[in-house]
Amino acid sequence: MKAIVIRTFGGPEGLAAVDLPVPAPAAGQVLIATEAVGVGGVDTVIRSGALAAYGFTEGFIPGSEVAGTVTAVGDGVGTSWVGRRVWAFTGTGGGYVEQAVAPVEQVLPLPDGLAATAAVTLGSAGTVAHFGLRHAHFAPGETVLVRGAAGSIGIMAVQLAARGGAAAVAVTTSSAERGERLRRLGATRVLDRSGDGGDEAPAAYDVIIDVVAGKDMPSFFDRLNPNGRMVAVGAVAGQPPADFGTKIMAAFQKSMSFAAFSAATVTQADLRAVRGEHFAAAGRGEIEAVVHELLPLDAAVLAHRKMDAGEVFGRIVLTP
């Protein structure tokens, strides 16, 4: 089968297509003939070598979510899975392949009518956005700022905050064109990357969902209301400064708070329940899965170049 591996850490050109044997599903696993593979921001970070200290090595297969049809099962897995269209989380990697294995507890049947491309656009991003807002104790009537709203997580955070009754949903983005697209998805205020939106934009927010982090993250504490909460759900711009917490302490009387959120802290039962709700809502047209572009599997280098260049609105999907 065809697979994409990280031949050398660094730029996108370090990715390479190789031929590998079709894997056999181990006990508790299923084998999936992939129709769609999501390209995530964490894939580019792993490819860069920035996470090599965490055990990622050259030769690694990136990709964490796929959708397709189950073709075989391992010991302990019911044969009724065979032939079913499913979404699956393959872990921190293993998704850029024509045949993927995944633990059966990380597999969810797709509802009739939901495209595989939509599933890999919503599957992980939707749960991160949902539980990120919950982690921030978001309540109807509050104001929300989504920092870095053009990616799949940010787009879902915008839609879910709007559906959840936010009084205002502001977004930071890089262009007016992207801002207009986000307005159609539920945003009510469009800001530049620094958080400036002119006189009509709210001066501060109750909740900030931050997909970006990086060196500019501390400046956004100035945009929190008293009792405001910022939750970092990603770090596409890298780690914030080591002393970022001093901003919160300097504004001690505002009782602001900061938290990081990872879906790894959510139970599988809760993830499955929310993911199923999102898939059903997308099937009814209540949530939009924004696919930036479909590319063949062997165009993974191009996909990562587009990700690195910040060209992507929504999610790039690879199609084996």
Side-chain angles (χ1 to χ4, degrees):
M1 70 169 184
K2 184 184 297 180
I4 305 297
V5 301
I6 301 172
R7 183 159 285 167
T8 57
F9 285 133
E13 64 280 357
L15 296 172
V18 299
D19 288 318
L20 296 175
V22 174
Q29 293 182 331
V30 301
L31 179 67
I32 301 165
T34 56
E35 299 172 33
V37 179
V39 178
V42 69
D43 302 345
T44 66
V45 176
I46 292 171
R47 182 217 72 224
S48 74
L51 300 180
Y54 294 91
F56 295 99
T57 61
E58 292 176 341
F60 183 79
I61 300 172
S64 62
E65 60 182 314
V66 303
T69 301
V70 175
T71 57
V73 298
D75 291 343
V77 180
T79 56
S80 61
W81 281 102
V82 176
R84 300 182 77 177
R85 294 180 65 250
V86 299
W87 172 94
F89 180 70
T90 59
T92 54
Y96 288 15
V97 293
E98 291 179 318
Q99 300 276 343
V101 291
V104 69
E105 64 268 17
Q106 300 278 17
V107 175
L108 190 68
L110 294 184
D112 293 340
L114 185 69
T117 53
V120 298
T121 301
L122 300 173
S124 291
T127 51
V128 171
H130 173 92
F131 288 104
L133 285 164
R134 178 180 292 186
H135 207 60
H137 302 285
F138 163 67
E142 292 191 312
T143 54
V144 177
L145 168 61
V146 181
R147 182 176 176 234
S152 55
I153 294 173
I155 286 170
M156 280 300 293
V158 168
Q159 294 187 78
L160 295 180
R163 293 181 77 217
V169 182
V171 295
T172 69
T173 191
S174 59
S175 70
E177 185 271 335
R178 288 187 170 198
E180 286 307 307
R181 294 182 70 180
L182 288 163
R183 284 184 187 276
R184 292 195 291 271
L185 292 166
T188 58
R189 296 288 187 274
V190 177
L191 318 178
D192 63 20
R193 284 179 169 174
S194 72
D196 184 18
D199 295 338
E200 295 184 1
Y205 305 87
D206 300 309
V207 170
I208 296 177
I209 300 296
D210 190 350
V211 188
V212 182
K215 64 181 179 60
D216 295 327
M217 190 188 81
S219 68
F220 282 82
F221 289 128
D222 296 334
R223 299 182 183 277
L224 280 175
N225 282 326
N227 296 306
R229 295 89 67 196
M230 180 191 292
V231 174
V233 298
V236 296
Q239 295 295 323
D243 63 349
F244 74 87
T246 59
K247 271 277 192 177
I248 296 177
M249 297 305 292
F252 195 86
Q253 291 182 319
K254 290 179 68 177
S255 300
M256 300 183 303
S257 61
F258 170 82
F261 170 75
S262 167
T265 59
V266 181
T267 67
Q268 288 302 317
D270 286 345
L271 288 171
R272 288 176 67 87
V274 169
R275 193 168 284 129
E277 290 171 6
H278 290 171
F279 286 169
R284 296 190 298 268
E286 297 168 7
I287 290 175
E288 184 174 343
V290 180
V291 177
H292 177 84
E293 188 173 4
L294 300 178
L295 292 171
L297 182 64
D298 57 10
V301 169
L302 177 59
H304 276 234
R305 284 180 178 151
K306 290 174 179 285
M307 292 284 287
D308 285 359
E311 299 177 3
V312 179
F313 185 88
R315 171 149 290 189
I316 289 181
V317 177
L318 301 176
T319 55

